[in-house]
Amino acid sequence: MEEAVLVLIKPDALQKNLTGDILSRISSTGLEIIGAKVVKVSRELAETHYAHLRDKPFFEDVIDYICGKQHGRNKVIALVYYGEDAISKLRALAGKTNPEEADPTTIRGAYGRITTKGVYENVVHVSDSPENAEKEIKLWFSPEELIIDLYPTRTQVEGSRVHKVWA
Ligand code: TYD
């Protein structure tokens, strides 16, 4: 099944100059890139993205991590890939959530670490289901930032500006 998936190259990966390696590993899947940008992550965006972890003891640390608090600058690279079985292909490439349990040939196994506080610095985010991919892509991207019409949109008029938003 052709599907879309959100990938985030997290602040630890950017600080360690891993972007090129991550992108070339992803290229090997043959999936198509349909959106890409650098994002300064607001606390609100981080909290919405990780809303499912709100009750976990590590929630605050994960929010600080994705906002770049431990890695010098507040930025991530956000990408949308599209193609056959995109989610399972990219989850396999990323490896397990816990970098110590991830196969060493995966991105997280090769480059991730667990901090002394117990936070998983695991280099990349990859959506884990079509439902979450849709939610996450709509959160991180506007329709006009993607080169494929993935989900229904509507037209919004703001003064003289007409643009598309997610329906
Ligand atoms: P989660 O959504 O469960 O995993 P994944 O990123 O593989 O979809 O968790 C989100 C992030 O929270 C995860 O990438 C790293 C961090 N995390 C921890 O620091 N400790 C933990 O015990 C878990 C489960 C996650």
Side-chain angles (χ1 to χ4, degrees):
M1 187 187 49
E2 300 230 296
E3 56 191 8
V5 56
L6 178 81
V7 173
L8 301 177
I9 302 182
K10 295 182 178 181
D12 53 328
L14 295 174
Q15 192 185 47
K16 293 174 179 171
N17 293 321
L18 298 173
T19 304
D21 183 56
I22 291 166
L23 293 179
S24 63
R25 283 175 184 244
I26 296 177
S27 295
S28 71
T29 62
L31 295 168
E32 183 185 358
I33 185 165
I34 63 165
K37 60 181 175 178
V38 183
V39 183
K40 185 173 171 181
V41 184
S42 67
R43 197 180 158 90
E44 190 191 354
L45 173 60
E47 287 186 354
T48 308
H49 179 78
Y50 283 131
H52 62 291
L53 300 175
R54 190 169 287 279
D55 298 331
K56 302 281 187 205
F58 54 82
F59 181 67
E60 284 299 321
D61 293 319
V62 166
I63 297 301
D64 283 351
Y65 165 35
I66 201 75
C67 290
K69 293 270 165 62
Q70 292 92 356
H71 301 95
R73 209 187 268 288
N74 177 352
K75 63 173 177 183
V76 304
I77 295 178
L79 305 143
V80 179
Y81 283 88
Y82 183 77
E84 198 66 26
D85 300 324
I87 294 173
S88 60
K89 281 179 184 159
L90 292 187
R91 289 289 293 189
L93 210 64
K96 288 190 180 170
T97 305
N98 178 338
E100 297 294 325
E101 288 176 359
D103 186 287
T105 63
T106 62
I107 294 168
R108 288 167 164 179
Y111 302 124
R113 69 168 197 139
I114 303 181
T115 68
T116 46
K117 269 183 96 179
V119 183
Y120 300 170
E121 289 184 359
N122 59 8
V123 189
V124 288
H125 169 81
V126 178
S127 313
D128 63 3
S129 67
E131 295 72 31
N132 285 337
E134 177 173 347
K135 227 189 288 177
E136 293 172 358
I137 290 167
K138 288 178 172 175
L139 176 66
W140 286 83
F141 285 83
S142 67
E144 286 158 349
E145 291 174 322
L146 302 176
I147 56 119
I148 291 182
D149 295 330
L150 287 178
Y151 314 113
T153 58
R154 62 186 167 81
T155 302
Q156 196 170 67
V157 182
E158 270 172 31
S160 60
R161 231 184 125 230
V162 180
H163 59 117
K164 278 192 204 169
V165 295
W166 300 118

